[in-house]
Amino acid sequence: MATFLYRLGRFSFRKRHVVALFWVALLALAGAGAAGAPAAGTSSFSIPGTEAQKAFDLLDERFPGASADGATARVVFKAPDGQKMTDPGNKAAVQDTVDELSGGAEVTQVTDPYQGGGVSQDGTVAYASVTYEVPGMELEESSREALKAAAEDARDSGLTVEIGGDALQAVPETGSAEIIGIGVAAVVLVITLGSLLAAGLPLLTAIVGVGIGVATITALASTLDLGSTTSILASMIGLAVGIDYALFVVSRYRAELAEGREREEAAGRAVGTAGSAVVFAGLTVVIALVGLSVVNIPMLTKMGIAAAGTVAVAVLIALTLIPAVLGYAGRRVRPAGEKSKLLGGGRAKDKADKPNMGTRWASFVVRRPLAVLLLGVVGLGAAAVPAGSLELGLPDDGSQPTSTTQRRAYDLLSEGFGPGFNGPLVVVVDAQGSDDPQAVFQQAGDEIKALGNVVNVAPAAPNKAGDTATIAVIPDAKPSSAATEDLVHDIRAAGADIKDGTGAEVLVTGATAMNIDVSQKLNDALVPYLVLVVGLAFLLLIVVFRSILVPLKAALGFLLSVLAALGAVVAVYQWGWLSGLMGVEETGPIMSMMPIFMVGVVFGLAMDYEVFLVTRIREAHVHGEKPAQAVVTGFRYSARVVTAAAVIMIAVFSGFIGSSDSMVKMIGFGLAIAVLFDAFVVRMAIVPAVLALLGAKAWWLPKWMDRALPNVDVEGESLAAHAGAADKDDEDKELVRA
């Protein structure tokens, strides 16, 4: 592989105009497709194989035209102190609001609180439900404005009016913090590379890669049903790895220049060595992201594949566009150790032979490996303790900040109708094969009423054919409580008994039941996912490092860092630690998909640093250095760059903490803290400590496996022959000129 990449690097450097034109054309083509594509809406959320999804699909089939996936809004009214919602003046104001909302262009139905039982028992709170034809993200802005205007008109009459539901759902914004993250990345690149131009190259190429990836996602969003969150997450991961991969190639190029090589040769060797590490690091990220498809939640699968595609583009850009732009830069990109005059270059060095920070740190770890190992493991173990209290759920209006109208509507409904009113269960009774459907509907309602933790069971509402009915059930506890989850299981158990006796099927759905099923599905998929992704990456790393213990150590280190990161997420978003600093206005359960998504992404990123760092150590070992010295040598050449790459990735991910979307905000924090733990504790401390303790045993591989495995030559041993040939060509050219 190193030989092929070496040739690719030299070709890209030499044919820079062709390569640059190709990427510019690809960016323009993707941009044109995005400009002409419909806007991304909400990705349809489905969880195949679950009872909640089966019931939802049955509703679509048996209740046509009901707009089961349409946006909903609850306009909640509260009477002034000392008044009731049944007072004539308040009643007239509500009626005017209902009439105003009924005339909306996309509205299919508006329920009158006084005819549909929408007034609380004490008469202080009432609500009107509004149903729309299209999902929340696809609503026309005029429909949202009409909803807000109707609420404002009702407020003018003296009522407190708030709006809940997903009708006001907007495309998430990442905020200015994302720009700050890129700014931090730029500063780190300048410090690391000692040149404004060299620092600009990784940023430029990363932006090109993300632009192609996000534009392609936008162009295909409507066709492939990709939600707006998909492009945000793809840009988050693509930008981080794009900068890092380009940084590694540029750094190796400067190191090759410092060894006296010609620029084209240096570009070829940089791509052949650092580029090999980029390929395998990118491959682990792609495996981890594509592996999310084993969960069988389409939204998660699409997010993973889209992000994986952006990572693949970042790898290809690092291998081709980076050497091309290095060709354009020429002598303005200086060898390693030299700075531009603007940044203090050209000054005499007082201590040219002084060991760098990476050398000093590795030497310290090699002298005291056991102490460093114990300190790192105990520290990460302590950070992981909160993960034992992990509570999973999906965000609803109750997790919104108290400053939002959605949250205030949620609280008013809880106050007037009880906490379970915000998470009603929808029981679907399919009596198509029953002799007396009406009797089955009645039996189902009676058995549900007999269960505990039930406030109200509405009469069965059959469809036109009379063979299927829905029963609305209001739990006594809030939607995210264990009591409500137990109620869902109790209803399903009662439904199994009804099916045995009558043949009718009783299914539970609704947002609350969906959340419960999603959490269960994700929990069930976590172990198979870990086995698949970690297993494939373990085999890949055996090929890369030609060792059993090094990949095993990499996997165990990853588990430590991801558990510690989950602990930090629980501490901030569930317990409320440092919530003000992180912009967390409301604590609550952690999103159900957070653990498995973090496992996938963090594993891929963790293996990035493992590959970049350990390949440099193995390269020194392969060239004859003793194990302890190889660790020091590897850190001398790679610690600075790996540290810079980690800081850049942390900065980019931290920028997404400012997003208006709670899911993006939590993922941004989780990934940033995971990279912090993995890069600086696991890879920079635990890894060298373990390698120092293992010594030569770290690189042990059974002889039969050594013979069976392909030699991918990540260290670039085969490039020596090409370097000799290149030098001979240069000599021949000089003779011809002479």
Side-chain angles (χ1 to χ4, degrees):
M1 173 176 285
T3 303
F4 169 75
L5 294 177
Y6 166 82
R7 290 170 177 164
L8 179 63
R10 294 195 64 160
F11 171 84
S12 300
F13 186 96
R14 192 166 54 252
K15 302 292 185 180
R16 61 187 75 106
H17 302 310
V18 175
V19 173
L21 184 62
F22 169 79
W23 284 109
V24 169
L26 195 58
L27 179 62
L29 184 63
T42 304
S43 178
S44 56
F45 188 79
S46 63
I47 37 177
T50 61
E51 181 173 314
Q53 185 63 45
K54 184 178 179 181
F56 190 83
D57 295 340
L58 187 64
L59 285 174
D60 271 348
E61 177 188 338
R62 303 286 175 84
F63 292 82
S67 299
D69 61 343
T72 58
R74 276 179 170 175
V75 183
V76 187
F77 308 89
K78 184 178 181 181
D81 291 341
Q83 298 183 26
K84 303 280 188 181
M85 287 305 304
T86 50
D87 293 345
N90 295 335
K91 194 172 182 178
V94 171
Q95 190 60 56
D96 289 343
T97 304
V98 170
D99 292 341
E100 185 177 348
L101 290 171
S102 299
E106 297 178 295
V107 174
T108 60
Q109 183 182 13
V110 181
T111 61
D112 188 325
Y114 303 100
Q115 296 178 6
V119 180
S120 65
Q121 194 169 359
D122 63 4
T124 60
V125 179
Y127 73 93
S129 293
V130 186
T131 306
Y132 293 87
E133 297 174 349
V134 295
M137 294 290 285
E138 297 177 19
L139 273 179
E140 295 288 342
E141 191 58 34
S142 58
S143 295
R144 292 195 182 95
E145 292 302 323
L147 180 60
K148 294 176 185 177
E152 195 58 43
D153 291 342
R155 290 189 187 105
D156 293 340
S157 66
L159 297 173
T160 298
V161 185
E162 305 295 347
I163 305 170
D166 62 351
L168 294 183
Q169 187 177 12
V171 176
E173 299 175 355
T174 56
S176 60
E178 182 185 354
I179 306 299
I180 297 174
I182 296 176
V184 171
V187 172
V188 173
L189 286 170
V190 171
I191 295 173
T192 304
L193 299 176
S195 164
L196 292 175
L197 178 63
L201 297 184
L203 280 175
L204 173 64
T205 56
I207 290 171
V208 170
V210 170
I212 291 171
V214 172
T216 302
I217 291 169
T218 303
L220 299 175
S222 179
T223 305
L224 300 181
D225 190 25
L226 303 176
S228 55
T229 306
T230 303
S231 60
I232 293 177
L233 295 176
S235 66
M236 178 194 301
I237 296 169
L239 187 62
V241 300
I243 294 174
D244 278 8
Y245 294 167
L247 170 62
F248 284 113
V249 175
V250 172
S251 298
R252 188 59 185 252
Y253 172 75
R254 296 178 70 234
E256 296 294 336
L257 289 179
E259 302 229 352
R261 293 190 172 86
E262 292 296 324
R263 294 187 176 272
E264 183 179 328
E265 175 67 13
R269 290 184 68 86
V271 175
T273 51
S276 296
V278 165
V279 169
F280 283 100
L283 194 54
T284 58
V285 179
V286 169
I287 288 173
L289 291 170
V290 173
L292 290 170
S293 58
V294 303
V295 183
N296 196 25
I297 294 180
M299 185 182 79
L300 198 57
T301 299
K302 292 170 185 176
M303 286 166 54
I305 292 175
T310 308
V311 171
V313 171
V315 170
L316 294 174
I317 281 180
L319 300 178
T320 58
L321 186 57
I322 282 291
V325 295
L326 287 172
Y328 284 118
R331 297 186 179 277
R332 285 170 290 183
V333 174
R334 300 169 181 268
E338 292 186 19
K339 295 182 179 180
S340 64
K341 292 182 180 179
L342 183 63
L343 297 173
R347 298 175 186 172
K349 295 182 181 180
D350 297 330
K351 298 180 180 179
D353 297 328
K354 181 180 178 181
N356 62 19
M357 181 65 74
T359 302
R360 296 197 298 273
W361 170 249
S363 298
F364 169 79
V365 175
V366 167
R367 288 196 306 270
R368 298 175 179 81
L370 189 59
V372 172
L373 176 62
L374 289 175
L375 186 61
V377 171
V378 170
L380 290 179
V385 168
S389 303
L390 179 67
E391 295 177 9
L392 298 177
L394 289 179
D396 57 14
D397 286 348
S399 60
Q400 297 270 8
T402 52
S403 58
T404 62
T405 185
Q406 293 96 325
R407 173 58 189 275
R408 292 196 293 265
Y410 182 97
D411 292 340
L412 283 177
L413 288 171
S414 295
E415 175 189 331
F417 299 91
F421 194 80
N422 283 294
L425 304 176
V426 179
V427 179
V428 182
V429 184
D430 179 8
Q432 194 172 52
S434 174
D435 296 333
D436 189 355
Q438 193 60 44
V440 173
F441 301 155
Q442 184 64 43
Q443 179 186 352
D446 292 341
E447 293 203 17
I448 294 171
K449 287 177 184 177
L451 298 173
N453 194 32
V454 175
V455 172
N456 183 56
V457 179
N463 62 350
K464 289 183 179 180
D467 58 6
T468 308
T470 60
I471 301 174
V473 179
I474 306 299
D476 184 41
K478 63 180 182 179
S480 59
S481 68
T484 300
E485 183 174 348
D486 291 340
L487 176 60
V488 170
H489 294 315
D490 290 343
I491 295 174
R492 287 173 174 171
D497 294 337
I498 293 173
K499 184 175 183 178
D500 291 340
T502 65
E505 194 166 18
V506 179
L507 306 170
V508 185
T509 189
T512 302
M514 279 276 195
N515 290 353
I516 292 169
D517 287 353
V518 167
S519 297
Q520 186 61 50
K521 193 175 182 69
L522 289 167
N523 286 339
D524 293 343
L526 186 57
V527 172
Y529 175 70
L530 272 172
V531 171
L532 173 69
V533 173
V534 177
L536 286 175
F538 183 76
L539 295 175
L540 184 66
L541 292 178
I542 289 176
V543 173
V544 174
F545 297 130
R546 308 194 75 77
S547 164
I548 298 292
L549 295 179
V550 171
L552 181 61
K553 171 263 307 170
L556 293 176
F558 151 73
L559 290 175
L560 267 176
S561 59
V562 80
L563 284 173
L566 278 175
V569 170
V570 170
V572 173
Y573 289 89
Q574 188 174 308
W575 291 0
W577 293 6
L578 301 177
S579 56
L581 181 64
M582 296 297 167
V584 181
E585 297 187 40
E586 191 65 33
T587 59
I590 305 303
M591 282 184 308
S592 298
M593 66 180 65
M594 187 69 182
I596 201 164
F597 189 82
M598 271 189 64
V599 164
V601 177
V602 173
F603 181 78
L605 299 179
M607 294 307 103
D608 274 7
Y609 299 115
E610 180 74 15
V611 170
F612 288 127
L613 187 62
V614 179
T615 49
R616 206 64 157 122
I617 295 172
R618 175 170 167 75
E619 185 176 340
H621 179 68
V622 166
H623 291 139
E625 293 189 10
K626 292 182 179 180
Q629 184 57 41
V631 171
V632 176
T633 301
F635 268 70
R636 179 167 72 246
Y637 289 114
S638 61
R640 178 184 176 91
V641 179
V642 168
T643 300
V647 172
I648 289 169
M649 199 169 279
I650 291 168
V652 171
F653 288 151
S654 297
F656 289 85
I657 298 175
S659 172
S660 62
D661 186 275
S662 59
M663 176 178 171
V664 175
K665 181 192 292 282
M666 191 180 294
I667 288 177
F669 171 80
L671 295 182
I673 199 72
V675 170
L676 176 68
F677 288 150
D678 195 86
F680 292 104
V681 181
V682 175
R683 309 303 153 190
M684 301 297 288
I686 294 178
V687 165
V690 171
L691 290 177
L693 288 170
L694 290 174
K697 295 177 183 176
W699 309 107
W700 172 80
L701 187 69
K703 291 182 179 180
W704 65 268
M705 189 177 291
D706 189 37
R707 291 192 298 268
L709 291 177
N711 184 10
V712 295
D713 189 23
V714 177
E715 297 80 19
E717 292 177 81
S718 61
L719 297 185
H722 288 274
D727 292 340
K728 188 176 185 305
D729 288 344
D730 292 338
E731 291 175 5
D732 292 344
K733 290 176 183 176
E734 291 296 328
L735 288 172
V736 170
R737 292 193 191 100

